[in-house]
Amino acid sequence: MPTIGQVDDAVKAVLEGFRQAPRPDRRSSGVFAGRLLGERQVERLGGEIREIRIAPTTVITPIARDLLKRRGILIRWISERLAGRTGEWGFVIEEGVAMSDTIRRSLLASEGAWNEAGQDVFDAANWVANEEGRGAVVLTDQGSVACWLAAQMAGVRSAAPGDADGVARAVEHLGINLLVLEPARHSLPSLLHCVKVFRKSGAPECPDWLDGRPDDANRRGDRPRDLLSAAPERAKSPISGGRPDDSGGHHRRLVQARGGAGRVR
């Protein structure tokens, strides 16, 4: 029968083995959340990456696959959820929108989680620009104005299509992350279908032709935090419904006497 000293020596030996065991390198793997893994994306991977985890629906180009092999990077397939492809989604219903309570209840009861991202298009644009992979729907009576205002913030790609086909094209070609809809032009089923099409492709992604593109100074960039990291400062306008921009003009003017007709200056 072993003595107490022998047992103590055995326990110390086991513990010493645990302390000397190498720890896994958490930096050796990476997750790719895009839909197309090409040569350019592989070249951006850090030298420490030894494994790339991607969703089953991601397409890998032959050149990218060869480059991964040459660099000794393994491919591991993981679920869409783990790849971060589901995205984070929010909505804003501006004041004065008809059936606002019905629309809000319908969105919150629909498939997938929703966040109410604020009260107007400024809140929605700021929410989208703060994190990649976010998408928001703005419901407003002034679609074209809201779309233009949202586009002034870096990282926001907005569109105001009139139907579900237009939403699909905007998602495919522009990778929109902010969808502007006018409920007055839709029935409730049509409105919810547009929203469903918007979410169908997963987390919004900037297309290759826009990614890193050097735009002019008026565009203010195409990716989150490129040039403008916060929403334009909110100051109370002397004209009801308006917010002044940096030059002192008004983004929007709602003329109540004419039924809320919008003007852009």
Side-chain angles (χ1 to χ4, degrees):
M1 185 172 180
T3 63
I4 295 177
Q6 291 174 329
V7 173
D8 186 54
D9 290 340
V11 171
K12 288 182 179 178
V14 172
L15 293 177
E16 186 65 25
F18 280 129
R19 283 193 288 267
Q20 294 177 357
R23 295 182 179 181
D25 185 358
R26 295 183 183 274
R27 300 175 301 170
S28 63
S29 64
V31 177
F32 179 73
R35 298 178 182 86
L36 177 66
L37 181 60
E39 180 183 10
R40 186 172 68 174
Q41 286 76 22
V42 175
E43 290 175 346
R44 291 177 179 175
L45 298 176
E48 75 281 3
I49 297 296
R50 290 294 176 265
E51 178 185 272
I52 184 74
R53 291 174 287 170
I54 59 178
T57 54
T58 296
V59 176
I60 307 175
T61 66
I63 295 177
R65 192 179 290 273
D66 290 341
L67 184 55
L68 288 171
K69 185 176 181 180
R70 290 199 302 270
R71 291 183 54 179
I73 300 176
L74 300 177
I75 299 173
R76 176 183 289 184
W77 303 102
I78 58 176
S79 68
E80 296 279 344
R81 181 184 63 82
L82 293 178
R85 291 278 293 275
T86 55
E88 187 178 3
W89 303 90
F91 70 93
V92 162
I93 303 177
E94 292 198 330
E95 185 178 358
V97 171
M99 301 188 304
S100 59
D101 289 339
T102 302
I103 296 172
R104 179 178 287 104
R105 288 197 301 269
S106 298
L107 286 175
L108 294 175
S110 63
E111 183 179 354
W114 283 96
N115 302 283
E116 189 153 8
Q119 299 179 346
D120 55 27
V121 64
F122 293 94
D123 292 331
N126 188 48
W127 184 81
V128 165
N130 279 339
E131 293 288 343
E132 295 184 3
R134 283 181 171 179
V137 179
V138 175
L139 301 156
T140 177
D141 290 333
Q142 305 288 334
S144 58
V145 177
C147 184
W148 182 85
L149 291 174
Q152 305 310 300
M153 180 173 293
V156 176
R157 302 179 300 279
S158 58
D163 54 28
D165 288 339
V167 175
R169 289 194 299 271
V171 170
E172 179 181 0
H173 300 297
L174 186 59
I176 62 168
N177 53 13
L178 193 143
L179 173 65
V180 178
L181 295 173
E182 294 186 10
R185 298 186 176 185
H186 298 270
S187 64
L188 184 59
S190 172
L191 189 73
L192 295 177
H193 182 55
C194 288
V195 172
K196 183 177 181 180
V197 171
F198 179 44
R199 291 191 58 157
K200 183 178 180 180
S201 297
E205 182 180 348
C206 185
D208 287 342
W209 69 274
L210 274 179
D211 190 22
R213 180 183 175 187
D215 287 345
D216 58 24
N218 291 330
R219 180 58 186 86
R220 301 185 183 180
D222 290 294
R223 294 176 298 176
R225 299 174 295 279
D226 275 351
L227 296 175
L228 187 65
S229 61
E233 182 179 355
R234 299 185 182 183
K236 182 65 178 179
S237 170
I239 299 178
S240 175
R243 288 181 180 171
D245 58 20
D246 294 338
S247 63
H250 294 287
H251 285 313
R252 170 164 56 173
R253 180 181 178 184
L254 304 180
V255 185
Q256 304 297 334
R258 298 184 180 181
R263 295 183 183 177
V264 179
R265 292 185 180 179

